[in-house]
Amino acid sequence: MNVRTKFASALSNIPLKRKFLIQTFFVAVGIIALAVVAARMQYLDLTGTRQMGLKAQTQMALGVVEHYAGQAKSGAMDEETAKQLALQSLSVMQANQGVDYFFVTDEEPRMLMHPTRADLKGKSVADVLSPDGKRIFPEFVRAARAGGGYVDYSWAKAGEADPMPKTSYAALYAPWGWVIGTGVYLDDTQSQAMQFTLIMTAVGGLLVLLNLAMGWVIGNSVLEPVSRALAAIKGVSRGDLGVRSGHHGRDEVGQMLKATDEMVHMLERFSHETQRMIVLHGAEDISHRMPEDFPGVYGQLASGINTMMFEHLDAIVDAIGVLNEYANGNLARDARRLPGSRAVLHEAMDAAKASLLAINGEIKRLASAAAVGDFSLRGDEQAFEHDFRTMVQGLNAMMATSDRNLAQLSGLLQAIAQGDLTARMDGDFHGVFARMRDDANATVAQLTDIVG
C-alpha cells in the first residue's frame, strides 16, 4: 500500500465535519503564514531600499572626494588642502537632523573625520566596540577593501536611551587610502514593518474569521443533507422504506438526495408489487404476474421472479393433470421431464405411476387366475408398502377364502357322488358362501329324503 492509498484510507475514516474543520484550520494557518511572510518580505524590502540608498550616498561622497583629488592633481591646490576641503565637505553632508552623516577613516583604522565625535579625530578606532560587542571599524575596512559592503551593528541614537540597530555601507578611495562610510538606523524600518505586520495580521485575522464563517455555513449546507441521505440509506438497509430525505437543492448533494428518494420510491413499489403477487397467488388469482417495467437489475429481478414462479406453476398444473388421469385409471401418460432440482417432481410422479402399474399388474394376475378357477395363486405382499400392501393382503384373503370355501363345496359334492349323504358343509361362512353352504346342505338333505 503506497502513501497515497494510506492517506486516502486514513481520510475515509474521518467524519465529514472533522474534515471541514481540518481544512479550515489549514486555510487559517496558511493565511497567518502568508501574513508573516508578507511582513518579513516588507521588512527585507525596506531594508534593501535603505541599503541601496546608503550605497548611492557613499558613491556621491566618493564623487566629492574625487572632485577634490582632481583639483589637487591639476595643480589648483596641493593635496593636503584638497584632503582638508574634502573632509570638510563630507562633514557638512548630513541629513535627518544630523542623524545620517558620513565618517572617514584610513585603513589602519584611524579616525580622520566624524561630525559628531570630534574627540576621535586622529585616534585609532580599531578597538572601538559597538554596544553589541562588535569591532565595527575593522569591519568597515574589510568591507571597503572587498569593493564596498555593508556592516550591521547596534549604535547609540540621539534621543534614545538604548542602542538601535544600524546598517552602514563602507567604500574605499584607494588613492588616498580612505574608508568612507555612512549608515542608517533601522528602528523606523522595523516600525514600518511592525505596522505592516499588524495590518496584515488584522486582515489575516478577518480572513480567518470569514473563512471560519464560510466554512461553517458551507459545511452545514453539505453535512445536513448528507446526514439526511445517510439516515435514509440506513433506513433502507434495515428494511424501512418509509424514510424520506426531505427538501433537496440542485447541487451535487441535492441530486444525491433526489436519487436516494427515487431509489426508496422504486424499492417501495417493488416491495408493494411483490406483496401484492404473494396475496393474489395465495387467494383469488394464481395467474397474476409481477410488472417488469422496473429499471435495470430490478426489472431483471421481476422478470426472473415471474419466470421462476410460472415455471413451477406450469409444472404443478401439468402434474395435477397427470394425477387426474392416474386417478381416472389412465396410466399411459408420463409426467413432463423437468430440469435441475425440479426433476424431483417428475421422479415422484414416475414412482407413483410405477407403483400403480405394479399393483394393477398384481390385481390383473390374481383376477386372471380367479377367472380360470385357480384360487391358489397369491399376490406378493412384500413388494408393496402401506395401503398397497393392505390391498394385496385383502386380495390374498379373498383368494384364500374363495379357495377354502369352494374346496369344502367340492368335497361335499364328491361325498354325494360316492353315495355319502351324511356329509355336510360346516363352518363360518358369509355372504354368497353362506347361501352356498345352506343350499348345498339343503340339497343333501333333500336327496337323503328322496333316497329314503
Side-chain angles (χ1 to χ4, degrees):
M1 184 181 292
N2 55 32
V3 176
R4 181 179 179 182
T5 305
K6 290 181 179 179
F7 182 70
S9 177
L11 279 180
S12 65
N13 295 325
I14 300 176
L16 279 176
K17 186 173 184 179
R18 191 171 298 175
K19 289 179 183 178
F20 277 111
L21 291 176
I22 292 174
Q23 180 187 18
T24 303
F25 170 76
F26 278 110
V27 171
V29 170
I31 292 173
I32 294 172
L34 181 63
V36 173
V37 170
R40 179 62 180 171
M41 291 179 64
Q42 173 72 3
Y43 173 75
L44 294 177
D45 183 64
L46 290 173
T47 302
T49 301
R50 289 293 183 86
Q51 288 179 339
M52 292 299 295
L54 291 177
K55 185 176 181 180
Q57 292 172 12
T58 305
Q59 293 297 328
M60 181 180 65
L62 286 173
V64 172
V65 173
E66 287 176 351
H67 168 72
Y68 285 105
Q71 292 287 326
K73 188 175 182 181
S74 66
M77 63 183 69
D78 58 82
E79 186 174 282
E80 189 62 29
T81 302
K83 289 181 179 181
Q84 292 299 322
L85 290 175
L87 291 174
Q88 184 178 0
S89 296
L90 293 176
S91 66
V92 298
M93 293 175 62
Q94 300 180 24
N96 196 16
Q97 298 180 352
V99 174
D100 299 331
Y101 54 85
F102 291 100
F103 62 88
V104 182
T105 69
D106 57 20
E107 296 181 74
E108 183 179 345
R110 184 167 52 88
M111 183 63 69
L112 300 179
M113 187 276 294
H114 195 293
T116 63
R117 293 293 302 275
D119 58 309
L120 296 177
K121 183 177 180 180
K123 295 181 180 179
S124 174
V125 289
D127 297 327
V128 174
L129 301 178
S130 64
D132 56 356
K134 182 179 292 187
R135 297 163 58 91
I136 56 175
F137 288 101
E139 287 293 320
F140 291 146
V141 175
R142 181 193 59 77
R145 286 175 176 174
Y150 300 97
V151 178
D152 296 325
Y153 57 97
S154 296
W155 198 254
K157 183 179 180 181
E160 300 291 341
D162 298 323
M164 295 293 170
K166 189 175 184 179
T167 184
S168 294
Y169 183 84
L172 179 65
Y173 183 66
W176 289 354
W178 283 7
V179 176
I180 304 172
T182 185
V184 63
Y185 289 98
L186 299 177
D187 55 330
D188 56 343
T189 302
Q190 291 180 340
S191 176
Q192 293 180 24
M194 183 60 67
Q195 184 179 3
F196 182 78
T197 301
L198 292 175
I199 294 173
M200 289 297 295
T201 301
V203 173
L206 289 175
L207 289 176
V208 168
L209 293 176
L210 179 61
N211 177 65
L212 287 173
M214 291 298 296
W216 180 266
V217 173
I218 295 175
N220 283 339
S221 69
V222 174
L223 292 176
E224 194 272 333
V226 168
S227 298
R228 286 190 278 125
L230 180 60
I233 293 172
K234 284 184 176 179
V236 172
S237 69
R238 63 176 179 265
D240 181 9
L241 299 181
V243 295
R244 295 293 182 269
S245 63
H247 173 74
H248 46 77
R250 290 181 292 180
D251 60 359
E252 289 81 357
V253 178
Q255 294 175 24
M256 180 182 68
L257 290 175
K258 181 180 179 182
T260 302
D261 281 346
E262 290 174 352
M263 177 189 70
V264 173
H265 282 304
M266 188 273 300
L267 289 174
E268 191 174 32
R269 178 174 172 247
F270 190 89
S271 175
H272 172 74
E273 291 295 342
T274 304
Q275 292 294 330
R276 183 166 178 261
M277 185 177 188
I278 292 171
V279 171
L280 291 177
H281 275 251
E284 65 268 19
D285 187 7
I286 198 173
S287 65
H288 175 76
R289 286 181 174 269
M290 188 173 180
E292 299 179 6
D293 58 343
F294 293 97
V297 69
Y298 297 101
Q300 298 175 10
L301 285 174
S303 176
I305 290 173
N306 286 334
T307 301
M308 176 191 67
M309 180 67 70
F310 284 94
E311 282 183 354
H312 287 300
L313 285 175
D314 291 343
I316 292 172
V317 169
D318 181 74
I320 291 172
V322 174
L323 285 175
N324 285 330
E325 293 185 16
Y326 289 174
N328 293 326
N330 181 13
L331 300 179
R333 182 179 171 188
D334 289 326
R336 188 177 67 181
R337 307 293 97 177
L338 298 172
S341 61
R342 287 182 293 157
V344 67
L345 185 59
H346 74 253
E347 290 172 355
M349 296 289 292
D350 290 346
K353 179 179 179 179
S355 297
L356 289 172
L357 287 173
I359 193 66
N360 186 50
E362 199 73 5
I363 293 171
K364 284 182 178 180
R365 187 170 66 87
L366 294 175
S368 296
V372 297
D374 182 8
F375 290 97
S376 63
L377 191 65
R378 299 290 183 270
D380 185 5
E381 298 178 4
Q382 300 303 317
F384 300 93
E385 295 180 351
H386 307 301
D387 288 343
F388 283 167
R389 176 177 290 182
T390 303
M391 187 183 297
V392 174
Q393 289 173 348
L395 289 173
N396 287 338
M398 180 189 71
M399 294 291 284
T401 301
S402 298
D403 188 31
R404 183 175 62 253
N405 293 338
L406 290 175
Q408 287 193 24
L409 180 60
S410 176
L412 177 62
L413 292 176
Q414 288 177 2
I416 293 172
Q418 293 174 2
D420 182 7
L421 299 180
T422 63
R424 296 290 186 274
M425 283 183 67
D426 298 320
D428 185 16
F429 297 94
H430 302 281
V432 68
F433 290 112
R435 291 197 301 273
M436 288 174 62
R437 178 198 62 191
D438 294 339
D439 291 342
N441 288 335
T443 299
V444 174
Q446 189 69 25
L447 285 175
T448 300
D449 291 340
I450 294 172
V451 172

